[in-house]
Structure formats: structure tokens, C-alpha cells
Amino acid sequence: MALQSLGHAEGCDSGFGNATAKKLDTMGFTVLATVLDLNSPGALELRACCSSRLKLLQMDLTKPADISRVLEFTKVHTASTGLWGLVNNAGQNIFVADAELCPVATFRTCMEVNFFGALEMTKGLLPLLRRSSGRIVTVSSPAGDMPFPCLAAYGTSKAALALLMGNFSCELLPWGVKVSIIQPACFKTESVKDVHQWEERKQQLLATLPQELLQAYGEDYIEHLNGQFLHSLSQALPDLSPVVDAITDALLAAQPRRRYYPGHGLGLIYFIHYYLPEGLRQRFLQSFFISPYVPRALQAGQPGLTSARDIAQDQGPRPDPSPTAQ
């Protein structure tokens, strides 16, 4: 890959996208980096520390006009050099709650950003990538491979994204375009570190939850879920370089992997998911990520006590691995 070739990376305001854009720039590549806000701290940092080769583009993946503008800019800007790679990195997780507690709009928003945004960008840039026999690299999540508790909206969108990229991987083989998926463990990105953000979203969920659901599950149930989630985030890996290195390898290696799993602990999680019985898989995920808590309607003195006892007996003893992935 010549140093003059270009790469397009989404979601560079912070986290993996920001770190990858900086690394590719230091390697001499021209990077078109999209950010949600051109005046965000991450965007200002890229403008200050990177070379003039890096171009910052504002884009909101929920706005078709933004996507069209970025696609047109990319086509014009790469007319003479070609486009080598696309990195789909933008992602959004809104609420930490059971699927029943999450508004349907939450599922739609996650799909809009995590799935349809990546779909539109990939389809829009495929003519350029086919011409260069280039690369498509997509950051997904283990939550798209297995049912992590309370991440149904996020995980569903990531599952759809991973399947889509699997289809592209097969279909683009005759064109020489290689497709890779990055499935990282839980790393300490800006969204992970922003505890205030998760507290605000918890309060928003409590304020908008239908009264019947709030009565059935109880405020304590939602408080427990968020407390466990924040504890798991506190164990996140601080060094983002394994993910950045995986993205870079997927872009530049002669024979990139179809899937990368950067971060500690993922091997054990995937082994349990693929090889142990379903009951043990579910119990491990609960213990690893968010421990069980009986909803209010199933607690002692409430209708459904028998079901609560059954749940407690079915859960069995709780192992205590360190929660490092989401």
C-alpha cells in the first residue's frame, strides 16, 4: 500500500477511531476522519497533533444529508489517488436495561447508528474500494455474538452488523476486497469513562418507564443493573493499542484475519459460549457482567414468589471472574 493511498475512518471524536486516525497519520497515510462535532475535544486534538494530510469531516450517521456530503467529498478527494480502506467505528449504546424496559426507539436508534450508518457508508464507498481491491474494517462487539445481559438493543445492532460484514466478506471476494471485523474486549474509551453520562441515562429511563413496568421490576432493579454495569466498566482495559493495532493490521496485512479479538479474557468467554451448555453459558455471562437481581413483582410478599425461588435455585453458585468485556 503506497503512503499516498487514503483511508476513511468513522467515529474519530474519541476512543478507537481517534487513536487509529493518529497512528495512520504518523505512518504517512492520508486519512479522512469523520467526527460528530468539529469542535469536540477529540476533533481539536486531531487538528492540533496530526499533519495536514488528515482531513476532518463532520458527520452524524442518523442524518442522510451528512452521509451524502461525506461520500461526495470522499469521491472527489480520492479521484486521483484512490481509496484503500474504510474503517467503520462509530457506535452507540444508550440504555443498560432488559429488552422489555428499553423503549423501541432505543432499538431503532442503535440500529440507525451501529448498523444502517455502517451499511450506507460501506455501500456508498464500495465502487472506490472495488477499484482499489481495498479493505473494509468494522469495529463490532462480543455483545453481537452472545446475549450479554441488559445490552439487547446494542447487541442486536452489532449482531446485524457482524452478519452484514460476513456477507460482504463472501460477496466481495472476487473483487479482491478483504473484510475484517474487530471484536474488542471492554476498553476505557471516553464513553466508558463518562460515569455522569450513564447516570443521566438511568434517570431518563426511570422517568419515562411506563408505570406498570416500573411497578413490576422496581427502581431497585434498575439501580442494581446500572451499578453492576458501572463496576464492569471500572475494570475496562486502559491501553487502546491492541484495538488500534488490530485495525491497522486489518488495513495493511497482506492476508488480514476475518476476525480480530483484541483484549484479555475474550478467549475464555468465547470458549464458554461455543462449547458449554446453554444454562452454563447464561450463568457465566450474568456472573461475568451483571449479576442477577429478582424483579420487585417476584420478590417475597409479591405475586410470583414461587418463580423467584425457582430463579434463585436455577442460578446456582456465582463464580467471580473479573468483568472486562461488554
Side-chain angles (χ1 to χ4, degrees), residues 202-203 206 209 213-226 293 296:
K202 179 195 70 179
Q203 294 300 334
L206 287 170
L209 204 61
L213 284 179
L214 187 59
Q215 288 294 326
Y217 283 87
E219 186 173 334
D220 287 349
Y221 184 87
I222 297 172
E223 292 283 356
H224 171 81
L225 299 183
N226 279 268
Y293 190 88
R296 176 187 292 167

Side-chain angles (χ1 to χ4, degrees), residues 7-22 24 31-37 40-46 54-57 59 87 89-91:
H8 190 291
E10 294 176 27
C12 296
D13 296 81
S14 63
F16 306 138
N18 184 278
T20 301
K22 285 189 284 190
L24 292 175
V31 179
L32 306 182
T34 61
V35 294
L36 188 60
D37 181 1
S40 68
L44 295 176
E45 180 189 11
L46 288 176
L54 186 138
K55 309 296 181 186
L56 281 176
L57 306 173
M59 182 176 69
V87 180
N89 172 66

Side-chain angles (χ1 to χ4, degrees), residues 68-306:
S68 297
R69 174 173 43 78
V70 168
L71 290 175
E72 187 59 33
F73 179 92
T74 304
K75 291 171 185 175
V76 171
H77 202 75
T78 61
S80 60
T81 59
L83 178 71
W84 174 253
L86 165 65
V87 180
N88 293 308
N89 172 66
Q92 186 172 42
N93 183 24
I94 302 173
F95 292 128
V96 180
D98 292 24
E100 185 180 16
L101 300 178
C102 285
V104 174
T106 300
F107 285 82
R108 289 198 175 103
T109 300
C110 284
M111 288 295 292
E112 194 67 38
V113 174
N114 302 344
F115 176 76
F116 285 110
L119 172 62
E120 286 198 59
M121 289 300 299
T122 303
K123 284 176 63 68
L125 295 177
L126 265 179
L128 299 175
L129 295 168
R130 284 191 287 101
R131 198 172 305 150
S132 64
S133 294
R135 305 290 171 84
I136 300 170
V137 182
T138 300
V139 179
S140 186
S141 168
D145 288 336
M146 54 193 86
F148 275 84
C150 304
L151 292 182
Y154 176 75
T156 300
S157 65
K158 290 295 189 178
L161 180 63
L163 184 59
L164 172 69
M165 292 303 154
N167 285 338
F168 276 136
S169 180
C170 296
E171 295 165 0
L172 297 174
L173 207 56
W175 298 93
V177 176
K178 293 181 170 62
V179 180
S180 297
I181 300 173
I182 315 294
Q183 304 281 69
C186 186
F187 285 83
K188 203 158 280 188
T189 58
E190 292 304 314
S191 64
V192 168
K193 292 186 287 186
D194 191 352
V195 176
H196 180 66
Q197 163 193 255
W198 296 110
E199 177 65 25
E200 283 187 336
R201 291 179 179 180
K202 179 195 70 179
Q203 294 300 334
Q204 180 185 352
L205 178 64
L206 287 170
T208 57
L209 204 61
Q211 193 62 29
E212 187 276 330
L213 284 179
L214 187 59
Q215 288 294 326
Y217 283 87
E219 186 173 334
D220 287 349
Y221 184 87
I222 297 172
E223 292 283 356
H224 171 81
L225 299 183
N226 279 268
Q228 291 282 298
F229 178 69
L230 290 177
H231 173 70
S232 73
L233 296 189
S234 72
Q235 308 298 310
L237 304 171
D239 181 11
L240 306 186
S241 62
V243 181
V244 175
D245 291 344
I247 294 173
T248 304
D249 188 79
L251 284 171
L252 304 180
Q255 294 298 329
R257 302 178 199 171
R258 291 279 187 92
R259 286 199 173 206
Y260 293 80
Y261 301 93
H264 303 308
L266 288 182
L268 174 62
I269 294 175
Y270 275 95
F271 175 83
I272 290 173
H273 177 68
Y274 286 121
Y275 294 107
L276 295 190
E278 183 176 359
L280 290 177
R281 298 200 306 262
Q282 293 176 349
R283 191 178 306 168
F284 176 80
L285 277 180
Q286 288 176 328
S287 302
F288 187 87
F289 187 57
I290 293 180
S291 63
Y293 190 88
V294 179
R296 176 187 292 167
L298 299 181
Q299 293 175 6
Q302 300 291 335
L305 175 59
T306 302

